[in-house]
């Protein structure tokens, strides 16, 4: 069947000049869960001081397609915008300062979304969001550390915990020595344990 493409003068004329493959880049992929997922991790988030109060506490796993060649270039800019996906992780309180949930490492199904080859998904990081009034204390365990060390620690200032005037995200620091008052800090540890 012949494809008829008619351009509307002025407004759409530039769009008609773009290659048809560029239109595919604007298509939102139909992301599916992996029916054969096998890698499950238990994620434990622990606050060093159980007297500190946070509400709510949420977890997320962020994924990205790590094979950019499977994605067409976008129109005009020539950039490749790879698909991303954020999945919630239910973190349940198991102790006054400890929360636990499960992460599926290979959650998403690899597929050919754009007719340019199979897009392969990978985990970027798992994060925990500890909310204190307007502040989101948000440590993250990135893929490489998850696979090699299985844990990470982030330090936060107690002054940041006490300050609640503005909405903000505090990602902390990897060392207490980075703060002017290193004795006035708390930390959040994220641990990943492979279940199967």
């Amino acid at each position: 069947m012949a494809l008829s493409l008619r351009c509307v003068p002025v407004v759409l004329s530039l769009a008609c000049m773009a290659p048809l493959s560029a239109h595919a880049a604007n298509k939102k992929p139909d992301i599916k869960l992996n029916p054969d997922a096998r890698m499950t991790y238990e994620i434990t988030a622990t606050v060093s001081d159980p007297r500190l109060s946070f509400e709510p506490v949420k977890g997320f796993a962020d994924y990205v397609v790590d094979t950019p060649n499977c994605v067409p270039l976008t129109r005009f800019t020539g950039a490749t915008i790879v698909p991303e996906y954020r999945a919630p992780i239910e973190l349940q309180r198991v102790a006054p300062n400890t929360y636990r949930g499960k992460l599926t490492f290979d959650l998403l199904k690899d597929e050919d979304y754009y007719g340019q080859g199979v897009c392969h998904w990978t985990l970027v990081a798992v994060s925990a969001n500890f909310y204190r009034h307007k502040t989101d204390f948000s440590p993250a365990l990135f893929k490489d550390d998850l696979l090699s060390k299985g844990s990470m620690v982030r330090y936060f200032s107690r002054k940041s915990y006490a300050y609640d005037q503005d909405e903000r995200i505090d990602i902390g620091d990897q060392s207490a020595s980075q703060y002017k008052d290193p004795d006035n800090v708390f930390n959040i540890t994220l641990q990943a344990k492979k279940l199967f």
Side-chain angles (χ1 to χ4, degrees):
M1 177 186 295
L3 190 70
S4 174
L5 181 63
R6 212 174 116 202
C7 297
V8 177
V10 185
V11 178
L12 296 180
S13 59
L14 287 176
C16 295
M17 295 168 58
L20 291 176
S21 62
H23 295 282
N26 297 327
K27 181 183 81 170
K28 187 174 181 180
D30 181 19
I31 300 169
K32 299 182 181 72
L33 298 182
N34 181 5
D36 195 32
R38 301 181 183 201
M39 296 175 66
T40 301
Y41 286 80
E42 180 181 78
I43 303 298
T44 303
T46 306
V47 182
S48 61
D49 187 346
R51 298 169 298 177
L52 300 180
S53 175
F54 298 93
E55 182 65 36
V57 175
K58 300 179 180 180
F60 295 96
D62 290 298
Y63 302 84
V64 68
V65 165
D66 69 349
T67 48
N69 289 341
C70 75
V71 182
L73 300 178
T74 56
R75 201 176 347 182
F76 305 126
T77 65
T80 298
I81 302 175
V82 296
E84 299 175 350
Y85 188 88
R86 169 165 270 202
I89 297 174
E90 184 179 352
L91 292 176
Q92 296 182 335
R93 192 174 187 180
V94 296
N97 61 333
T98 305
Y99 299 80
R100 193 163 287 147
K102 289 184 180 178
L103 159 75
T104 304
F105 191 92
D106 51 346
L107 178 70
L108 304 175
K109 183 180 179 183
D110 296 337
E111 282 197 317
D112 184 350
Y113 296 121
Y114 306 101
Q116 291 192 185
V118 175
C119 291
H120 295 277
W121 289 95
T122 189
L123 178 76
V124 176
V126 55
S127 61
N129 299 74
F130 287 78
Y131 292 91
R132 169 69 175 172
H133 302 310
K134 296 181 179 180
T135 305
D136 173 8
F137 294 91
S138 182
L141 176 59
F142 289 90
K143 173 186 171 182
D144 289 345
D145 286 336
L146 184 150
L147 294 175
S148 60
K149 297 186 287 186
S151 66
M152 57 73 59
V153 181
R154 298 294 286 188
Y155 294 86
F156 301 88
S157 168
R158 291 180 184 271
K159 290 181 180 179
S160 179
Y161 177 85
Y163 181 82
D164 63 356
Q165 301 302 310
D166 302 309
E167 287 189 17
R168 59 198 171 86
I169 298 174
D170 187 341
I171 62 169
D173 206 293
Q174 60 185 357
S175 173
S177 63
Q178 298 299 314
Y179 294 97
K180 291 182 180 179
D181 187 1
D183 293 325
N184 194 28
V185 301
F186 67 95
N187 68 62
I188 300 176
T189 302
L190 291 184
Q191 292 180 306
K193 175 184 176 183
K194 191 173 182 180
L195 298 178
F196 51 87

